[in-house]
């Protein structure tokens, strides 16, 4: 027997007790970096995830904007952009499902599961990497929005607060889609399974049109579902008007989604791997 084979593997002392928290953070950061490296090696993922919201901005701004703007008190592009930001982070969160399903299908999650590492680090690394990607996409789409006429009615700080809220919402949804990806275990199926979750959130909402223009039976859902609440909060922060209630409701939705989805995703990961 070789000397290397005779050395047993032990968990370092600093990972026990309080050090276990530091170890979980270290594991999560390592996997965050691993996912960003993977994104850098497949830049087409970032290109297409950015191209889609840009197309939506141009489509709604110049094709549908003339008709929709007649029902609004502000320029349609100013009304539109907070909805585009929320739609964008939802689409970005869907990539969490696809990425985890690909890792599960390739056997990568089984390798992670066999290592002496935090069980939540794999999911935290993936969701944080997707949050980082969403951050850069928000910057690019903001630039496109300003080019086509988007203007801030409050202040730079209000705009930044609105974008932070949108990113928090996208991060919370990443845990929902993480559960979806781990449940199906196949990238193509994960993308198809994510659509029934994504479609009602994005299109039955106030992201693109005012809720008052919808049928009466749909308005209650469209006004109170989480994406509409986050859109209303970000609009208030960017365009002005009553803000505190919308922001508190949006934060409550984000906290509730995280409180439910994160434990479910961790439990599903333990079973899947």
């Amino acid at each position: 027997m070789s000397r290397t084979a005779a050395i047993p593997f032990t968990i370092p002392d600093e990972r026990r007790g309080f050090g276990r928290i530091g170890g979980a953070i270290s594991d999560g950061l390592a996997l965050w970096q691993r996912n960003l490296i993977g994104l850098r090696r497949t830049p087409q993922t970032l290109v297409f995830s950015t191209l889609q919201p840009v197309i939506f901005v141009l489509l709604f701004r110049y094709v549908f904007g003339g008709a929709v703007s007649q029902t609004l008190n502000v320029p349609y592009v100013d009304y539109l952009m907070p909805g585009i930001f929320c739609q964008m982070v939802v689409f970005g969160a869907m990539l969490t499902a696809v990425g985890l399903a690909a890792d599960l299908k390739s056997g990568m999650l089984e390798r992670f599961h066999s290592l002496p590492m935090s069980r939540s680090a794999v999911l935290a690394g993936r969701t944080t990497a997707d949050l980082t990607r969403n951050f850069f996409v928000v910057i690019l789409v903001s630039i496109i929005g300003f080019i086509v006429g988007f203007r801030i009615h409050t202040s730079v700080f209000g705009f930044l607060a609105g974008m932070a809220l949108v990113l928090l919402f996208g991060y919370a949804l990443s845990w929902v889609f993480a559960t979806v990806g781990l449940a199906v275990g196949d990238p193509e199926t994960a993308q198809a399974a994510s659509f029934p979750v994504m479609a009602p959130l994005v299109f039955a909402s106030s992201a693109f049109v005012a809720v008052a223009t919808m049928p009466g039976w749909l308005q209650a859902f469209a006004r109170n579902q989480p994406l509409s609440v986050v859109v209303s909060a970000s609009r208030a922060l960017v365009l002005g008007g009553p803000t505190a209630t919308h922001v508190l409701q949006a934060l409550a939705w984000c906290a509730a989604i995280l409180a439910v989805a994160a434990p479910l995703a961790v439990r599903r990961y333990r079973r899947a791997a």
Side-chain angles (χ1 to χ4, degrees):
M1 182 181 296
S2 66
R3 291 175 59 88
T4 303
I7 299 175
F9 181 85
T10 58
I11 298 176
D13 291 338
E14 61 269 17
R15 293 179 63 91
R16 297 189 179 95
F18 180 76
R20 188 174 300 174
I21 299 176
I25 295 174
S26 177
D27 294 339
L29 289 174
L31 290 167
W32 168 73
Q33 185 178 18
R34 174 246 179 192
N35 288 313
L36 289 183
I37 291 174
L39 185 63
R40 186 178 63 187
R41 291 178 178 174
T42 56
Q44 61 270 24
T45 302
L46 183 60
V47 170
F48 286 112
S49 64
T50 305
L51 186 61
Q52 190 174 54
V54 170
I55 292 175
F56 269 93
V57 170
L58 299 177
L59 178 66
F60 279 91
R61 171 70 173 90
Y62 294 111
V63 178
F64 303 123
V68 179
S69 62
Q70 299 177 11
T71 64
L72 302 174
N73 297 322
V74 296
Y76 180 62
V77 65
D78 296 339
Y79 181 89
L80 172 69
M81 289 308 298
I84 290 291
F85 291 130
C86 287
Q87 176 224 36
M88 178 191 62
V89 298
V90 173
F91 285 171
M94 287 176 59
L95 295 180
T96 303
V98 177
L100 283 173
D103 284 344
L104 181 60
K105 187 175 183 180
S106 67
M108 184 62 68
L109 292 190
E110 292 182 2
R111 296 180 61 185
F112 289 149
H113 195 71
S114 65
L115 295 175
M117 61 190 298
S118 170
R119 294 291 179 260
S120 60
V122 174
L123 301 179
R126 166 62 65 176
T127 55
T128 307
D130 291 335
L131 173 64
T132 305
R133 184 194 64 246
N134 276 339
F135 174 76
F136 288 106
V137 175
V138 162
I139 294 175
L140 180 57
V141 174
S142 297
I143 295 172
I144 299 298
F146 289 128
I147 291 175
V148 299
F150 173 55
R151 295 296 180 264
I152 301 170
H153 294 214
T154 53
S155 66
V156 174
F157 296 106
F159 173 74
L160 294 178
M163 296 306 97
L165 186 60
V166 168
L167 289 171
L168 175 62
F169 179 63
Y171 180 71
L173 285 184
S174 289
W175 288 92
V176 175
F177 287 111
T179 307
V180 174
L182 292 171
V184 299
D186 178 79
E188 291 78 11
T189 307
Q191 188 170 15
S194 297
F195 185 80
V197 180
M198 178 275 297
L201 283 177
V202 173
F203 298 108
S205 73
S206 61
F208 306 124
V209 298
V211 174
T213 64
M214 300 179 184
W217 58 267
L218 183 59
Q219 289 185 19
F221 170 79
R223 183 177 293 108
N224 298 293
Q225 59 118 319
L227 189 138
S228 289
V229 173
V230 175
V231 169
S232 296
S234 60
R235 280 198 182 114
L237 288 165
V238 174
L239 302 182
T243 303
T245 301
H246 293 307
V247 171
L248 290 175
Q249 289 175 347
L251 290 174
W253 264 116
C254 293
I257 293 171
L258 277 171
V260 174
L264 287 177
V266 173
R267 183 181 303 176
R268 188 68 202 183
Y269 167 71
R270 288 174 175 171
R271 292 179 180 178

